[in-house]
């Protein structure tokens, strides 16, 4: 009888204790919402962050550089940004690094309307290419030319900002633009209803990592448990979204009804999924970027992107896999690499 009473009292006490408050976390995206961002909204909608004790707020961004600055100043907890942009900021002293590189294959491409039949590098000859001077794609463009045997005299260039570049293709003032396979191509399709065919840089030996999660280095040091829980939830969110792209895209519109059109959000996300892994990371969980991939990215930024050569001395300062959930396949690969 005494044991029964004690057990009942313990159960009652436990039921009356206040639930531990979830950690409030802000994730700022790299830009206005588009298909690439579906896993975050899907993970929140499915309660994956809540299950890890995280009350997640997702904010749209205004460019990777701005988001990186806010993470560096602790204005937001995490960012989802172009990792090469973060690397450049870190080299200038920003206290940021990546606890998870998601896009391990570059989305950079030259793209034009499918009906123009521009499908391979030699088709760019005698065409007009729209680009934005100084952006990440225009900096890597010379390497693409070198790899494919193209010369600058083989085509004409028109320059402008991101919107001008889009308008040039939409209005027929340019045949192609430099853009991301899952971003600008969908914007063009939304505006015109016409399909776009990309020529991906990565298919011709020009591959850099792209988007990933970033955090302030103080956050990694002072609150490692939060980072681990956030990366666990985000890993699950990506894995679940991969299996249900339609539902993942719909989660964007559930949270943001003006976030785009259902079909192109889904198509944009489906174009993003193949970028999660390289040949080396096939079969692994998301975010398991290889040391070789990161080294190649840093080397390319030094040679073509204006990054200080000292960055090559320690590429591992820009990323870590220490906060990712367990992955036996990745553990075996990393052990073999050592």
């Amino acid at each position: 009888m005494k044991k029964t009473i004690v057990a009942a009292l313990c159960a009652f006490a436990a039921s009356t204790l206040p639930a531990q408050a979830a950690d409030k976390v802000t994730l700022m995206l790299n830009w206005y919402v588009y298909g690439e961002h579906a896993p975050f909204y899907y993970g929140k909608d499915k309660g994956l962050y809540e299950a890890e004790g995280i009350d997640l707020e997702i904010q749209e961004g205004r460019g990777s550089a701005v988001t990186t600055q806010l993470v560096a100043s602790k204005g937001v907890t995490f960012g989802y940004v172009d990792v090469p942009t973060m690397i450049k900021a870190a080299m200038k002293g920003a206290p940021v690094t990546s606890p998870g590189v998601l896009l391990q294959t570059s989305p950079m491409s030259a793209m034009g309307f499918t009906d123009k039949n521009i499908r391979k590098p030699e088709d760019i000859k005698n065409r007009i290419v729209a680009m934005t001077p100084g952006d990440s794609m225009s900096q890597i463009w010379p390497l693409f030319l070198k790899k494919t045997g193209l010369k600058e005299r083989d085509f004409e260039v028109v320059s402008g900002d991101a919107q001008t570049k889009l308008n040039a293709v939409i209005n027929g003032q340019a045949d192609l633009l430099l853009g991301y396979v899952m971003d600008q191509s969908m914007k063009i399709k939304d505006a015109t209803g016409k399909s776009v065919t990309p020529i991906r840089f990565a298919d011709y030996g020009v591959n850099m990592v792209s988007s990933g999660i970033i955090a302030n280095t103080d956050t990694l040091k002072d609150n490692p448990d939060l980072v681990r829980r956030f990366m666990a939830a985000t890993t699950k969110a990506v894995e679940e979204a991969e299996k249900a792209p339609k539902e993942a895209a719909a989660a964007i519109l559930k949270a943001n009804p003006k976030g785009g059109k259902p079909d192109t959000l889904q198509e944009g996300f489906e174009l993003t999924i193949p970028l999660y892994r390289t040949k080396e990371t096939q079969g692994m969980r998301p975010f398991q970027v290889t040391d070789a991939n990161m080294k190649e990215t840093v080397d390319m930024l030094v040679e073509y992107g204006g990054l200080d050569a000292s960055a090559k001395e320690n590429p591992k300062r820009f990323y870590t896999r220490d906060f990712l959930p367990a992955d036996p396949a990745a553990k075996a690969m990393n052990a073999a690499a050592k």
Side-chain angles (χ1 to χ4, degrees):
M1 177 68 73
K2 288 182 178 179
K3 289 182 179 179
T4 303
I5 294 172
V6 170
L9 288 172
C10 289
F12 174 76
S15 68
T16 57
L17 287 174
Q20 186 173 354
D23 290 303
K24 292 188 178 296
V25 167
T26 303
L27 170 68
M28 178 170 277
L29 305 175
N30 53 334
W31 196 243
Y32 300 99
V33 67
Y34 57 97
E36 180 185 348
H37 304 135
F40 306 116
Y41 290 92
Y42 191 61
K44 181 176 180 178
D45 185 56
K46 291 297 181 181
L48 299 181
Y49 291 97
E50 184 180 6
E52 292 288 349
I54 291 173
D55 178 9
L56 180 66
E57 177 187 357
I58 304 171
Q59 295 183 0
E60 291 185 304
R62 298 298 180 268
S64 290
V66 174
T67 299
T68 300
Q69 289 171 2
L70 281 166
V71 173
S73 65
K74 301 182 182 179
V76 295
T77 324
F78 298 100
Y80 180 70
V81 306
D82 174 63
V83 173
T85 298
M86 181 276 294
I87 290 173
K88 291 182 178 181
M91 282 299 294
K92 294 179 180 177
V96 288
T97 192
S98 176
V101 178
L102 183 56
L103 271 58
Q104 299 167 18
T105 296
S106 175
M108 293 182 182
S109 67
M111 63 182 71
F113 287 121
T114 300
D115 59 18
K116 284 183 176 284
N117 203 33
I118 306 170
R119 303 177 186 278
K120 53 188 183 300
E122 64 187 60
D123 297 334
I124 296 174
K125 290 182 177 180
N126 302 314
R127 301 285 188 166
I128 301 173
V129 182
M131 62 179 69
T132 300
D135 73 358
S136 58
M137 286 167 287
S138 66
Q139 291 175 18
I140 303 302
W141 177 244
L143 179 57
F144 175 77
L145 299 182
K146 182 179 179 180
K147 291 277 191 178
T148 57
L150 288 171
K151 308 294 182 185
E152 291 188 1
R153 63 176 178 270
D154 289 335
F155 53 87
E156 185 180 342
V157 172
V158 294
S159 299
D161 61 19
Q163 189 59 50
T164 300
K165 187 170 60 174
L166 282 169
N167 292 340
V169 170
I170 290 169
N171 298 328
Q173 298 165 320
D175 300 297
L176 308 100
L177 59 76
L178 302 188
Y180 283 6
V181 294
M182 69 298 196
D183 183 4
Q184 283 81 4
S185 61
M186 296 298 98
K187 288 184 172 72
I188 294 172
K189 190 169 185 178
D190 274 344
T192 66
K194 297 172 65 176
S195 294
V196 172
T197 297
I199 303 172
R200 299 197 322 172
F201 290 12
D203 291 339
Y204 296 90
V206 182
N207 188 43
M208 296 169 59
V209 301
S210 185
S211 305
I213 300 296
I214 67 167
N216 193 291
T217 52
D218 282 347
T219 303
L220 303 188
K221 181 177 64 176
D222 298 337
N223 205 344
D225 178 64
L226 174 65
V227 181
R228 288 190 182 92
R229 286 185 283 122
F230 179 81
M231 292 310 303
T234 304
T235 298
K236 291 177 186 175
V238 173
E239 291 172 331
E240 293 302 314
E242 285 184 276
K243 300 173 189 174
K246 183 176 182 178
E247 292 80 1
I252 292 177
L253 295 176
K254 186 175 180 181
N256 183 357
K258 296 182 179 180
K261 299 179 180 179
D263 290 347
T264 46
L265 284 173
Q266 180 180 341
E267 186 177 349
F269 176 51
E270 289 174 339
L271 287 168
T272 304
I273 293 172
L275 307 176
Y276 289 159
R277 298 170 182 88
T278 61
K279 290 180 181 178
E280 293 74 23
T281 57
Q282 287 299 324
M284 296 182 190
R285 304 187 75 179
F287 297 106
Q288 293 287 352
V289 69
T290 66
D291 295 338
N293 197 351
M294 289 300 296
K295 180 181 183 301
E296 182 181 9
T297 296
V298 171
D299 289 348
M300 209 174 294
L301 287 171
V302 169
E303 186 169 357
Y304 294 95
L307 189 68
D308 191 277
S310 62
K312 297 170 71 171
E313 296 171 4
N314 183 21
K316 290 186 177 181
R317 64 178 286 193
F318 305 118
Y319 68 104
T320 177
R321 294 182 293 263
D322 292 347
F323 299 90
L324 298 178
D327 185 340
K331 185 177 180 180
M333 181 196 70
N334 294 328
K338 293 178 181 178

